[in-house]
Amino acid sequence: MARISFLSDANGDLRRIGSAIRERRKAIGLSQEALADAAGIDRAHAGKIERGERNVTILNILRIASALGCRPSDLLMDSGL
Amino acid sequence: MARISFLSDANGDLRRIGSAIRERRKAIGLSQEALADAAGIDRAHAGKIERGERNVTILNILRIASALGCRPSDLLMDSGL
DNA sequence: GTGTGACTTTAAGTCCGTC
DNA sequence: GGACGGACTTAAAGTCACA
């Protein structure tokens, strides 16, 4: 049976975005806490975002991208979105 | 005095994203209501997102992009983000 | 066909802590 | 350094009526 790739998979999308954030964070050698501080968000919240447990708002995506030194669209493209 | 473009401008960012959505919606000849229906969100809510009055979540960005037939990252790049 | 205000429900986001 | 939890506050989602 063919893979049904166009159906939405909200949890998977959130996990993919979280993974993209995590990979870029590690690539530049930041801890979750350092990233959270740089982005101005809570440490526990940053962890939940990376694990795909939060439907993060666009403003926090912008803040996180800024803290990572990349464009918000880069994070989505890393995630295949 | 030089333009200080790197300072965050949350309201402006939300307006830019809303404008990007509106432009793509009009380009394919959809009404707000038709877009909202296709994205599975409320018409009034869609209007507020287009006007930059909502800090929209990433999942709704994904739904809107899908309804517009573009990638979520396209919307951000249209917005210069 | 859209803007807007008032509203309820849901979840984002914070802050404390422990493992 | 990060996962995870509880209790809490804030804000977005979502709905509706009306201009």
Side-chain angles (χ1 to χ4, degrees):
Chain A
M1 179 177 176
R3 194 169 71 97
I4 305 172
S5 60
F6 53 84
L7 285 180
S8 76
D9 171 18
N11 287 344
D13 291 337
L14 295 181
R15 279 202 307 272
R16 276 185 281 279
I17 292 166
S19 296
I21 292 170
R22 174 163 297 182
E23 283 177 28
R24 281 190 182 263
R25 173 177 66 77
K26 296 205 163 185
I28 59 177
L30 285 182
S31 68
Q32 271 188 2
E33 184 161 26
L35 172 61
D37 287 348
I41 65 180
D42 188 73
R43 167 181 67 78
H45 192 223
K48 288 169 187 172
I49 291 171
E50 284 194 356
R51 277 173 262 132
E53 296 172 7
R54 281 291 185 275
N55 179 13
V56 59
T57 58
I58 193 66
L59 247 28
N60 275 342
I61 290 284
L62 301 188
R63 294 187 189 111
I64 289 168
S66 174
L68 290 172
C70 70
R71 293 178 306 175
S73 46
D74 291 335
L75 291 177
L76 291 181
M77 285 186 292
D78 288 357
S79 316
L81 299 171
Chain B
M1 178 177 175
R3 193 168 73 95
I4 305 171
S5 59
F6 53 83
L7 285 179
S8 76
D9 171 18
N11 286 344
D13 290 337
L14 294 181
R15 280 201 306 275
R16 277 185 281 278
I17 292 165
S19 295
I21 292 169
R22 176 162 294 182
E23 284 176 28
R24 281 190 182 262
R25 172 175 66 79
K26 295 203 164 184
I28 59 176
L30 286 182
S31 67
Q32 271 188 3
E33 185 161 24
L35 171 61
D37 286 349
I41 65 181
D42 189 74
R43 174 185 70 76
H45 193 221
K48 287 166 190 172
I49 291 170
E50 282 194 357
R51 276 172 264 128
E53 295 172 8
R54 282 287 188 276
N55 178 14
V56 59
T57 58
I58 193 66
L59 247 27
N60 274 343
I61 292 283
L62 300 189
R63 293 186 189 111
I64 290 168
S66 173
L68 290 171
C70 70
R71 293 177 306 175
S73 47
D74 291 335
L75 292 176
L76 291 181
M77 286 188 290
D78 288 357
S79 316
L81 298 172

